[in-house]
Amino acid sequence: MGDGASRGFPRSALPMVIATLLTASDAAAQAPRPSQVAAPPAPVAMAAGARLPISLADAVFIGLRDNRTVKSAYLSRAAEKYDLFVARTRFLPSGVIDASVDRTRQDGQDSTSTVIAPAAVWLVPTGAQFQFAWTRLDLRGTGSSQGTDTAVLGVSQPLLRGAGLAVNAAPVTLAALQDQINRLQLRATVSNTVASIIAAYRALSQAQAQLVIARQSLERSQAQLGVNQALIDAGRMAAAEIVQTQADIANQQVALLAAEQQRNTAQLTLLGLLAMDLHTDIVAGDDLQPRHLDINLDRAIAIALDNRPDYLSQKRGLEQARQTQLVARNAQLWDLSVVASLQRQTQRGGGVTVDPVTGAPEPAANLPAGTRSSVGVQLRIPLGDYSLRQRKVQADTALRLQEVALDDQRQRVEAEVRDAVQGVELAWRRLEAAHLASDLAARTLDLERERLRAGRASNFEVLTFETSLRAAQTQALAAQVGYLNALTSLDLQLGTTLDTWKISLND
């Protein structure tokens, strides 16, 4: 009879059994106790300043005040507004003053000539142009002084080319339309910046929540490690199974560090948009609990067509093309004008005038003093100038292109609004499904833990459901942020971002 150790097993199997027992014993001896498992990695603090909780409304306010893109847009508007001011001075009088003093010496005689010649021009909305010029010339020599005063008033009223209120007001109308386009571009810039700040704020909120999920998951796994060790000590679990839990803890530590980096990156992105010190430890304080909104598609499309800056800018561009066509057509007409002038000349001490070639003063005794007036008609017919026809063809083509572009822009707006509305509704459904999946995953994990304690489940199954819960919570968090961002995107597509946030442009 052999010894008791060999009665239940063939001798050939003893080395394998002994090796297995030794391996299990070594694993139990070498497996770290819960207190020996590596502690959660300490967060890497990227911001050295004090923590600064901030709400979404505060972030938007700071961004409007300090964002560099918004500042640049407002600086550009200062020059654009001045362009409109200059265009509106088209029908205001303008003038210039010419003056000169010359001293000459001839044959031992010194003489001084002084010329003062102010002039003014005034264009009125009918196309009429008033011109006024006054010239005062004084010549002083040895023992003599003489001079001439000449005043000329002229008026020219076009009858064909350049005549009419619409044609003469076209430059001002074009400038006003361009200013409206510039204002719409400013509105679009501010709206896009606000949307970017909102998205960055929610990205930070999501990163903070993801960090909490990672820490909670790590804490649950560490608690599970303690349960596993107790089961091993009680002989109800193989010692080797604890390695699975340890590996899961290591993976979650990696996930925690990744979440920490994601949070730091989101902080820097938001700080950059707010133009704040990058050392500020900014914290998103608002929650991510959305509420469902019912959206009427037809009403949404109508709102977009009334508010979208790109669509409204396209409409202004069409009006500009019509004004350009009006001017191009008028330029093809003959230049027929009624002209009139009135001249008054007085002499002092014999009078002097200015040589039209040399510009030198000379006696004007041969020019009679008094008043002279004239009225006449001027006609100028262009021959062989195809550039006028070219400008009209270009203006007609530009108008048709603008009409096609407006139709295309309208269809694009409707398509984008439809897509945004559908995206909001689908995002809400996804959110509901994600919340349900997260709740069920949490309940499943709790039940599986109870089964493990009762010896009816394996440690691998618990770890699997722990991974599923972490994924479900992450999915629910992403669905929350996705729905809120879908609403923000819809607001941007409708062109109502500034209205939603009660923002008025100081323009």
Side-chain angles (χ1 to χ4, degrees):
M1 300 291 295
D3 57 12
S6 62
R7 282 198 292 263
F9 298 94
R11 288 186 179 272
S12 60
L14 284 177
M16 183 179 297
V17 173
I18 293 173
T20 303
L21 292 175
L22 289 175
T23 303
S25 176
D26 291 343
Q30 296 174 7
R33 312 286 293 183
S35 60
Q36 296 175 321
V37 177
V44 180
M46 298 297 294
R51 292 177 67 85
L52 177 62
I54 187 173
S55 66
L56 179 56
D58 291 337
V60 171
F61 172 77
I62 295 173
L64 291 175
R65 184 189 64 189
D66 299 331
N67 182 269
R68 296 180 182 89
T69 301
V70 174
K71 285 185 175 181
S72 299
Y74 272 102
L75 288 174
S76 299
R77 278 296 296 146
E80 293 165 355
K81 288 190 291 186
Y82 193 75
D83 292 341
L84 177 61
F85 169 78
V86 172
R88 287 176 173 172
T89 62
R90 174 177 173 82
F91 300 116
L92 296 180
S94 62
V96 63
I97 298 178
D98 290 330
S100 64
V101 177
D102 294 320
R103 184 175 182 83
T104 59
R105 183 178 182 83
Q106 183 177 3
D107 299 332
Q109 299 290 328
D110 293 333
S111 63
T112 302
S113 62
T114 304
V115 178
I116 300 178
V121 178
W122 181 24
L123 176 67
V124 298
T126 62
Q129 189 174 43
F130 294 88
Q131 297 176 338
F132 173 77
W134 174 61
T135 303
R136 179 184 179 89
L137 191 150
D138 292 313
L139 180 62
R140 290 183 173 83
T142 303
S144 64
S145 176
Q146 54 186 344
T148 301
D149 292 330
T150 304
V152 179
L153 174 64
V155 60
S156 173
Q157 172 61 61
L159 301 179
L160 294 177
R161 180 192 298 181
L165 299 176
V167 172
N168 287 279
V172 181
T173 304
L174 287 169
L177 289 171
Q178 185 60 48
D179 187 71
Q180 294 176 19
I181 293 175
N182 295 334
R183 285 176 56 87
L184 291 169
Q185 291 175 347
L186 174 64
R187 183 181 181 90
T189 298
V190 175
S191 297
N192 291 328
T193 302
V194 170
S196 298
I197 292 173
I198 294 172
Y201 184 91
R202 288 180 182 145
L204 177 58
S205 297
Q206 182 178 3
Q208 292 173 176
Q210 186 64 46
L211 189 59
V212 171
I213 290 174
R215 286 174 178 167
Q216 291 175 346
S217 181
L218 180 59
E219 291 170 358
R220 288 195 301 269
S221 294
Q222 289 175 332
Q224 185 62 37
L225 182 64
V227 173
N228 291 352
Q229 189 62 52
L231 292 175
I232 292 173
D233 293 341
R236 297 170 55 187
M237 176 182 289
E241 293 191 24
I242 202 171
V243 177
Q244 298 172 341
T245 306
Q246 294 168 356
D248 182 67
I249 290 176
N251 289 331
Q252 292 192 47
Q253 288 175 345
V254 173
L256 181 61
L257 291 173
E260 186 76 22
Q261 177 60 35
Q262 185 179 4
R263 192 278 307 271
N264 294 336
T265 301
Q267 270 189 336
L268 292 174
T269 301
L270 181 58
L271 289 171
L273 288 172
L274 301 184
M276 295 177 64
D277 185 359
L278 298 181
H279 294 90
T280 306
D281 188 12
I282 193 170
V283 178
D286 289 357
D287 58 25
L288 296 173
Q289 296 299 326
R291 58 186 182 89
H292 183 251
L293 295 179
D294 292 325
I295 303 171
N296 184 287
L297 178 58
D298 293 335
R299 177 60 178 161
I301 294 175
I303 292 175
L305 294 176
D306 289 337
N307 293 276
R308 278 275 293 260
D310 53 352
Y311 181 71
L312 296 179
S313 296
Q314 191 65 52
K315 292 178 68 174
R316 303 300 189 277
L318 178 61
E319 292 299 323
Q320 286 182 319
R322 288 171 177 164
Q323 291 293 318
T324 303
Q325 183 192 52
L326 175 66
V327 175
R329 288 182 174 180
N330 181 265
Q332 290 190 294
L333 301 176
W334 291 356
D335 187 1
L336 177 63
S337 303
V338 175
V339 295
S341 65
L342 177 65
Q343 176 177 319
R344 174 69 178 175
Q345 179 173 289
T346 59
Q347 298 179 359
R348 289 173 282 105
V352 293
T353 185
V354 177
D355 187 275
V357 178
T358 64
E362 59 183 13
N366 59 329
L367 296 178
T371 303
R372 185 177 63 181
S373 62
S374 65
V375 177
V377 177
Q378 293 181 347
L379 176 62
R380 183 172 181 269
I381 303 175
L383 299 175
D385 186 0
Y386 295 100
S387 64
L388 299 176
R389 175 65 180 174
Q390 180 187 30
R391 287 197 293 268
K392 180 182 179 299
V393 171
Q394 292 174 345
D396 293 340
T397 303
L399 178 59
R400 290 194 294 269
L401 289 175
Q402 286 290 339
E403 291 172 345
V404 173
L406 181 62
D407 292 338
D408 182 68
Q409 184 68 32
R410 180 186 180 91
Q411 186 178 39
R412 187 182 304 115
V413 168
E414 182 175 350
E416 290 174 351
V417 172
R418 286 180 180 275
D419 182 64
V421 171
Q422 293 171 359
V424 168
E425 187 59 33
L426 291 176
W428 179 255
R429 295 180 184 178
R430 177 191 173 198
L431 175 60
E432 291 180 324
H435 278 162
L436 178 60
S438 178
D439 294 340
L440 292 176
R443 291 175 56 188
T444 301
L445 179 60
D446 291 339
L447 293 174
E448 203 64 22
R449 284 175 175 170
E450 292 297 330
R451 293 182 62 197
L452 179 64
R453 294 187 183 96
R456 299 171 56 190
S458 67
N459 186 53
F460 176 77
E461 292 174 325
V462 173
L463 295 178
T464 300
F465 287 117
E466 172 63 38
T467 302
S468 299
L469 174 60
R470 189 165 61 244
Q473 289 177 333
T474 300
Q475 179 178 258
L477 176 62
Q480 285 182 331
V481 176
Y483 179 72
L484 293 173
N485 285 341
L487 290 176
T488 301
S489 177
L490 176 61
D491 219 8
L492 198 60
Q493 296 296 340
L494 298 180
T496 55
T497 300
L498 301 186
D499 297 331
T500 299
W501 287 90
K502 304 296 189 295
I503 298 173
S504 59
L505 300 179
N506 296 324
D507 180 35

PDB file of all heavy atoms in Angstrom, residues 369-391:
ATOM      1  N   ALA A 369     -14.138 145.823 -65.703  1.00  0.00           N
ATOM      2  CA  ALA A 369     -14.786 145.445 -64.455  1.00  0.00           C
ATOM      3  C   ALA A 369     -16.284 145.395 -64.672  1.00  0.00           C
ATOM      4  O   ALA A 369     -16.826 146.030 -65.585  1.00  0.00           O
ATOM      5  CB  ALA A 369     -14.431 146.447 -63.365  1.00  0.00           C
ATOM      6  N   GLY A 370     -16.957 144.592 -63.850  1.00  0.00           N
ATOM      7  CA  GLY A 370     -18.392 144.491 -63.968  1.00  0.00           C
ATOM      8  C   GLY A 370     -18.875 143.055 -63.826  1.00  0.00           C
ATOM      9  O   GLY A 370     -18.156 142.185 -63.327  1.00  0.00           O
ATOM     10  N   THR A 371     -20.092 142.798 -64.304  1.00  0.00           N
ATOM     11  CA  THR A 371     -20.736 141.500 -64.160  1.00  0.00           C
ATOM     12  C   THR A 371     -21.024 140.908 -65.524  1.00  0.00           C
ATOM     13  O   THR A 371     -21.463 141.630 -66.428  1.00  0.00           O
ATOM     14  CB  THR A 371     -22.037 141.631 -63.359  1.00  0.00           C
ATOM     15  OG1 THR A 371     -21.753 142.201 -62.093  1.00  0.00           O
ATOM     16  CG2 THR A 371     -22.693 140.271 -63.166  1.00  0.00           C
ATOM     17  N   ARG A 372     -20.780 139.582 -65.652  1.00  0.00           N
ATOM     18  CA  ARG A 372     -21.061 138.885 -66.894  1.00  0.00           C
ATOM     19  C   ARG A 372     -21.775 137.579 -66.582  1.00  0.00           C
ATOM     20  O   ARG A 372     -21.383 136.859 -65.661  1.00  0.00           O
ATOM     21  CB  ARG A 372     -19.753 138.600 -67.647  1.00  0.00           C
ATOM     22  CG  ARG A 372     -19.973 137.985 -69.017  1.00  0.00           C
ATOM     23  CD  ARG A 372     -18.664 137.794 -69.750  1.00  0.00           C
ATOM     24  NE  ARG A 372     -17.792 136.857 -69.037  1.00  0.00           N
ATOM     25  CZ  ARG A 372     -16.559 136.537 -69.465  1.00  0.00           C
ATOM     26  NH1 ARG A 372     -16.070 137.108 -70.566  1.00  0.00           N
ATOM     27  NH2 ARG A 372     -15.840 135.685 -68.775  1.00  0.00           N
ATOM     28  N   SER A 373     -22.798 137.255 -67.337  1.00  0.00           N
ATOM     29  CA  SER A 373     -23.567 136.025 -67.121  1.00  0.00           C
ATOM     30  C   SER A 373     -23.763 135.306 -68.441  1.00  0.00           C
ATOM     31  O   SER A 373     -23.718 135.929 -69.508  1.00  0.00           O
ATOM     32  CB  SER A 373     -24.922 136.333 -66.488  1.00  0.00           C
ATOM     33  OG  SER A 373     -25.702 137.143 -67.351  1.00  0.00           O
ATOM     34  N   SER A 374     -23.979 133.964 -68.321  1.00  0.00           N
ATOM     35  CA  SER A 374     -24.200 133.163 -69.532  1.00  0.00           C
ATOM     36  C   SER A 374     -25.039 131.943 -69.185  1.00  0.00           C
ATOM     37  O   SER A 374     -25.002 131.439 -68.059  1.00  0.00           O
ATOM     38  CB  SER A 374     -22.856 132.720 -70.139  1.00  0.00           C
ATOM     39  OG  SER A 374     -22.180 131.836 -69.252  1.00  0.00           O
ATOM     40  N   VAL A 375     -25.799 131.482 -70.169  1.00  0.00           N
ATOM     41  CA  VAL A 375     -26.627 130.273 -70.050  1.00  0.00           C
ATOM     42  C   VAL A 375     -26.506 129.515 -71.354  1.00  0.00           C
ATOM     43  O   VAL A 375     -26.538 130.111 -72.435  1.00  0.00           O
ATOM     44  CB  VAL A 375     -28.105 130.607 -69.768  1.00  0.00           C
ATOM     45  CG1 VAL A 375     -28.935 129.331 -69.729  1.00  0.00           C
ATOM     46  CG2 VAL A 375     -28.257 131.392 -68.491  1.00  0.00           C
ATOM     47  N   GLY A 376     -26.352 128.162 -71.252  1.00  0.00           N
ATOM     48  CA  GLY A 376     -26.215 127.387 -72.474  1.00  0.00           C
ATOM     49  C   GLY A 376     -26.472 125.910 -72.244  1.00  0.00           C
ATOM     50  O   GLY A 376     -26.828 125.467 -71.146  1.00  0.00           O
ATOM     51  N   VAL A 377     -26.303 125.165 -73.303  1.00  0.00           N
ATOM     52  CA  VAL A 377     -26.495 123.711 -73.290  1.00  0.00           C
ATOM     53  C   VAL A 377     -25.237 123.054 -73.812  1.00  0.00           C
ATOM     54  O   VAL A 377     -24.673 123.509 -74.833  1.00  0.00           O
ATOM     55  CB  VAL A 377     -27.714 123.297 -74.143  1.00  0.00           C
ATOM     56  CG1 VAL A 377     -27.850 121.781 -74.160  1.00  0.00           C
ATOM     57  CG2 VAL A 377     -28.984 123.945 -73.626  1.00  0.00           C
ATOM     58  N   GLN A 378     -24.798 121.982 -73.137  1.00  0.00           N
ATOM     59  CA  GLN A 378     -23.624 121.232 -73.549  1.00  0.00           C
ATOM     60  C   GLN A 378     -24.033 119.797 -73.870  1.00  0.00           C
ATOM     61  O   GLN A 378     -24.824 119.191 -73.143  1.00  0.00           O
ATOM     62  CB  GLN A 378     -22.549 121.216 -72.459  1.00  0.00           C
ATOM     63  CG  GLN A 378     -21.925 122.584 -72.203  1.00  0.00           C
ATOM     64  CD  GLN A 378     -20.849 122.521 -71.130  1.00  0.00           C
ATOM     65  OE1 GLN A 378     -20.730 121.543 -70.413  1.00  0.00           O
ATOM     66  NE2 GLN A 378     -20.073 123.596 -71.034  1.00  0.00           N
ATOM     67  N   LEU A 379     -23.483 119.261 -74.944  1.00  0.00           N
ATOM     68  CA  LEU A 379     -23.772 117.891 -75.360  1.00  0.00           C
ATOM     69  C   LEU A 379     -22.467 117.178 -75.657  1.00  0.00           C
ATOM     70  O   LEU A 379     -21.608 117.708 -76.376  1.00  0.00           O
ATOM     71  CB  LEU A 379     -24.658 117.885 -76.610  1.00  0.00           C
ATOM     72  CG  LEU A 379     -24.960 116.495 -77.209  1.00  0.00           C
ATOM     73  CD1 LEU A 379     -25.737 115.626 -76.214  1.00  0.00           C
ATOM     74  CD2 LEU A 379     -25.728 116.636 -78.531  1.00  0.00           C
ATOM     75  N   ARG A 380     -22.359 115.970 -75.097  1.00  0.00           N
ATOM     76  CA  ARG A 380     -21.164 115.148 -75.339  1.00  0.00           C
ATOM     77  C   ARG A 380     -21.638 113.742 -75.668  1.00  0.00           C
ATOM     78  O   ARG A 380     -22.298 113.085 -74.852  1.00  0.00           O
ATOM     79  CB  ARG A 380     -20.250 115.141 -74.119  1.00  0.00           C
ATOM     80  CG  ARG A 380     -18.945 114.375 -74.316  1.00  0.00           C
ATOM     81  CD  ARG A 380     -18.030 114.606 -73.120  1.00  0.00           C
ATOM     82  NE  ARG A 380     -16.769 113.921 -73.290  1.00  0.00           N
ATOM     83  CZ  ARG A 380     -16.531 112.662 -72.864  1.00  0.00           C
ATOM     84  NH1 ARG A 380     -17.510 111.988 -72.255  1.00  0.00           N
ATOM     85  NH2 ARG A 380     -15.359 112.100 -73.050  1.00  0.00           N
ATOM     86  N   ILE A 381     -21.312 113.296 -76.899  1.00  0.00           N
ATOM     87  CA  ILE A 381     -21.754 111.977 -77.367  1.00  0.00           C
ATOM     88  C   ILE A 381     -20.541 111.063 -77.494  1.00  0.00           C
ATOM     89  O   ILE A 381     -19.637 111.341 -78.300  1.00  0.00           O
ATOM     90  CB  ILE A 381     -22.469 112.088 -78.731  1.00  0.00           C
ATOM     91  CG1 ILE A 381     -23.654 113.058 -78.629  1.00  0.00           C
ATOM     92  CG2 ILE A 381     -22.930 110.710 -79.204  1.00  0.00           C
ATOM     93  CD1 ILE A 381     -24.335 113.314 -79.959  1.00  0.00           C
ATOM     94  N   PRO A 382     -20.474 109.997 -76.723  1.00  0.00           N
ATOM     95  CA  PRO A 382     -19.337 109.072 -76.843  1.00  0.00           C
ATOM     96  C   PRO A 382     -19.475 108.216 -78.100  1.00  0.00           C
ATOM     97  O   PRO A 382     -20.554 107.724 -78.424  1.00  0.00           O
ATOM     98  CB  PRO A 382     -19.433 108.213 -75.569  1.00  0.00           C
ATOM     99  CG  PRO A 382     -20.884 108.255 -75.209  1.00  0.00           C
ATOM    100  CD  PRO A 382     -21.399 109.605 -75.637  1.00  0.00           C
ATOM    101  N   LEU A 383     -18.376 108.055 -78.804  1.00  0.00           N
ATOM    102  CA  LEU A 383     -18.355 107.247 -80.016  1.00  0.00           C
ATOM    103  C   LEU A 383     -17.238 106.209 -79.913  1.00  0.00           C
ATOM    104  O   LEU A 383     -16.085 106.556 -79.591  1.00  0.00           O
ATOM    105  CB  LEU A 383     -18.126 108.131 -81.253  1.00  0.00           C
ATOM    106  CG  LEU A 383     -19.187 109.202 -81.519  1.00  0.00           C
ATOM    107  CD1 LEU A 383     -18.766 110.086 -82.692  1.00  0.00           C
ATOM    108  CD2 LEU A 383     -20.547 108.561 -81.782  1.00  0.00           C
ATOM    109  N   GLY A 384     -17.591 104.938 -80.162  1.00  0.00           N
ATOM    110  CA  GLY A 384     -16.588 103.878 -80.165  1.00  0.00           C
ATOM    111  C   GLY A 384     -16.080 103.487 -78.797  1.00  0.00           C
ATOM    112  O   GLY A 384     -15.046 102.826 -78.688  1.00  0.00           O
ATOM    113  N   ASP A 385     -16.759 103.895 -77.749  1.00  0.00           N
ATOM    114  CA  ASP A 385     -16.346 103.539 -76.391  1.00  0.00           C
ATOM    115  C   ASP A 385     -17.150 102.320 -75.940  1.00  0.00           C
ATOM    116  O   ASP A 385     -18.274 102.437 -75.450  1.00  0.00           O
ATOM    117  CB  ASP A 385     -16.565 104.723 -75.451  1.00  0.00           C
ATOM    118  CG  ASP A 385     -16.009 104.468 -74.056  1.00  0.00           C
ATOM    119  OD1 ASP A 385     -15.447 103.374 -73.829  1.00  0.00           O
ATOM    120  OD2 ASP A 385     -16.136 105.356 -73.188  1.00  0.00           O
ATOM    121  N   TYR A 386     -16.567 101.151 -76.129  1.00  0.00           N
ATOM    122  CA  TYR A 386     -17.278  99.920 -75.776  1.00  0.00           C
ATOM    123  C   TYR A 386     -17.186  99.586 -74.280  1.00  0.00           C
ATOM    124  O   TYR A 386     -17.827  98.653 -73.808  1.00  0.00           O
ATOM    125  CB  TYR A 386     -16.721  98.752 -76.592  1.00  0.00           C
ATOM    126  CG  TYR A 386     -16.974  98.888 -78.069  1.00  0.00           C
ATOM    127  CD1 TYR A 386     -15.967  99.341 -78.930  1.00  0.00           C
ATOM    128  CD2 TYR A 386     -18.224  98.593 -78.620  1.00  0.00           C
ATOM    129  CE1 TYR A 386     -16.192  99.473 -80.288  1.00  0.00           C
ATOM    130  CE2 TYR A 386     -18.452  98.729 -79.981  1.00  0.00           C
ATOM    131  CZ  TYR A 386     -17.437  99.165 -80.813  1.00  0.00           C
ATOM    132  OH  TYR A 386     -17.656  99.311 -82.150  1.00  0.00           O
ATOM    133  N   SER A 387     -16.394 100.350 -73.543  1.00  0.00           N
ATOM    134  CA  SER A 387     -16.289 100.083 -72.104  1.00  0.00           C
ATOM    135  C   SER A 387     -17.598 100.364 -71.373  1.00  0.00           C
ATOM    136  O   SER A 387     -17.910  99.745 -70.362  1.00  0.00           O
ATOM    137  CB  SER A 387     -15.164 100.921 -71.502  1.00  0.00           C
ATOM    138  OG  SER A 387     -15.457 102.306 -71.610  1.00  0.00           O
ATOM    139  N   LEU A 388     -18.383 101.332 -71.914  1.00  0.00           N
ATOM    140  CA  LEU A 388     -19.676 101.614 -71.298  1.00  0.00           C
ATOM    141  C   LEU A 388     -20.610 100.420 -71.431  1.00  0.00           C
ATOM    142  O   LEU A 388     -21.304 100.028 -70.479  1.00  0.00           O
ATOM    143  CB  LEU A 388     -20.302 102.850 -71.952  1.00  0.00           C
ATOM    144  CG  LEU A 388     -19.496 104.151 -71.836  1.00  0.00           C
ATOM    145  CD1 LEU A 388     -20.180 105.270 -72.604  1.00  0.00           C
ATOM    146  CD2 LEU A 388     -19.320 104.520 -70.362  1.00  0.00           C
ATOM    147  N   ARG A 389     -20.631  99.823 -72.619  1.00  0.00           N
ATOM    148  CA  ARG A 389     -21.437  98.612 -72.834  1.00  0.00           C
ATOM    149  C   ARG A 389     -20.892  97.453 -72.003  1.00  0.00           C
ATOM    150  O   ARG A 389     -21.651  96.641 -71.475  1.00  0.00           O
ATOM    151  CB  ARG A 389     -21.407  98.265 -74.315  1.00  0.00           C
ATOM    152  CG  ARG A 389     -22.112  96.953 -74.682  1.00  0.00           C
ATOM    153  CD  ARG A 389     -23.595  97.025 -74.415  1.00  0.00           C
ATOM    154  NE  ARG A 389     -24.248  95.772 -74.766  1.00  0.00           N
ATOM    155  CZ  ARG A 389     -25.524  95.498 -74.530  1.00  0.00           C
ATOM    156  NH1 ARG A 389     -26.281  96.417 -73.928  1.00  0.00           N
ATOM    157  NH2 ARG A 389     -26.045  94.357 -74.895  1.00  0.00           N
ATOM    158  N   GLN A 390     -19.580  97.417 -71.878  1.00  0.00           N
ATOM    159  CA  GLN A 390     -18.963  96.350 -71.081  1.00  0.00           C
ATOM    160  C   GLN A 390     -19.407  96.420 -69.621  1.00  0.00           C
ATOM    161  O   GLN A 390     -19.739  95.408 -68.999  1.00  0.00           O
ATOM    162  CB  GLN A 390     -17.446  96.466 -71.167  1.00  0.00           C
ATOM    163  CG  GLN A 390     -16.703  95.404 -70.368  1.00  0.00           C
ATOM    164  CD  GLN A 390     -15.212  95.673 -70.351  1.00  0.00           C
ATOM    165  OE1 GLN A 390     -14.770  96.819 -70.408  1.00  0.00           O
ATOM    166  NE2 GLN A 390     -14.419  94.604 -70.270  1.00  0.00           N
ATOM    167  N   ARG A 391     -19.435  97.628 -69.060  1.00  0.00           N
ATOM    168  CA  ARG A 391     -19.863  97.786 -67.666  1.00  0.00           C
ATOM    169  C   ARG A 391     -21.314  97.372 -67.489  1.00  0.00           C
ATOM    170  O   ARG A 391     -21.684  96.787 -66.462  1.00  0.00           O
ATOM    171  CB  ARG A 391     -19.636  99.230 -67.213  1.00  0.00           C
ATOM    172  CG  ARG A 391     -18.180  99.573 -66.981  1.00  0.00           C
ATOM    173  CD  ARG A 391     -18.042 100.833 -66.148  1.00  0.00           C
ATOM    174  NE  ARG A 391     -18.503 102.003 -66.867  1.00  0.00           N
ATOM    175  CZ  ARG A 391     -17.711 102.774 -67.616  1.00  0.00           C
ATOM    176  NH1 ARG A 391     -16.432 102.462 -67.769  1.00  0.00           N
ATOM    177  NH2 ARG A 391     -18.185 103.838 -68.229  1.00  0.00           N
TER     178      ARG A 391
END
